[in-house]
Amino acid sequence: MHTQIAAEQYDSWSTEQCAGIEVVDGMVVATPSPSIRHNRLARLLANGLELAAGPDWNADTGFDVRLQDVPLTNRRPDVVVYRADTIDVSPTRPEHVLLVVEVVSPGSETTDRIVKADQYAKAGIAFYWRVEQAATGIPLVYTYVLDPASSSYRDGEVFTGTVKAAVPFLVEIDLGTL
């Protein structure tokens, strides 16, 4: 029988117990290990975003964002841009986060394109980027901006290879040489 876990229970688990999972509506969901290409894309994006964001923001990979406590929903975006002054605050919450990035992998298409976008928007995260790994090998980056009135994202710009975004801050990241 499947049972929901509470935030307190999850918070008592070790780092090893939390690795490779997300929690959605209190239910543990296994997440497959990402490919090397996936990890490299995430790292390149995090590095570029960190450089462009300035001292008030950090960009990192591979940690939980607590979208809600009841029922517990923890997502682990591929890249998170968050307020630098919250680096030691745990758990990271949506109000700490400016931008999340998901790199789509085989098997995560619907979750990354629809489910996570909806959850991040409803949590109030201002910007969402989705990276599609195209058959050409050159990534496509879809950007979205939160419409607070509807708690949903509206389409932003789409970039092929090189991201040249003006929001949430000026950033240029070449992903075409992956």
Side-chain angles (χ1 to χ4, degrees), residues 55-138:
D56 293 336
W57 299 99
N58 292 338
D60 286 305
T61 61
F63 67 92
D64 288 349
V65 175
R66 173 80 44 95
L67 299 180
Q68 65 185 37
D69 288 310
V70 180
L72 177 61
T73 299
N74 271 353
R75 288 293 191 177
R76 189 168 293 151
D78 293 311
V79 178
V80 181
V81 177
Y82 61 98
R83 288 192 349 241
D85 64 352
T86 66
I87 192 168
D88 294 318
V89 175
S90 183
T92 299
R93 297 198 177 267
E95 58 267 23
H96 306 150
V97 176
L98 177 65
L99 163 69
V100 292
V101 180
E102 292 290 355
V103 178
V104 178
S105 297
S108 75
E109 294 94 338
T110 301
T111 302
D112 290 342
R113 292 176 186 156
I114 299 168
V115 177
K116 287 184 179 182
D118 182 62
Q119 290 175 333
Y120 295 145
K122 285 186 173 34
I125 296 173
F127 298 93
Y128 176 61
W129 291 6
R130 189 184 81 242
V131 181
E132 298 276 347
Q133 299 182 64
T136 61
I138 299 173

Side-chain angles (χ1 to χ4, degrees), residues 147-170:
D147 174 1
S150 65
S151 294
S152 62
Y153 289 116
R154 56 185 167 77
D155 292 346
E157 295 182 85
V158 179
F159 301 99
T160 304
T162 300
V163 176
K164 291 184 181 180
V167 291
F169 38 77
L170 290 174

Side-chain angles (χ1 to χ4, degrees), residues 37 40-49 51-52 129 131 137-141 159-165 170-178:
R37 175 177 293 277
R40 182 162 174 77
L41 270 169
R43 184 174 51 80
L44 289 172
L45 283 162
N47 290 349
L49 289 164
L51 285 172
W129 291 6
V131 181
I138 299 173
L140 296 168
V141 180
F159 301 99
T160 304
T162 300
V163 176
K164 291 184 181 180
L170 290 174
V171 62
E172 184 171 338
I173 306 168
D174 183 6
L175 300 175
T177 60
L178 193 59

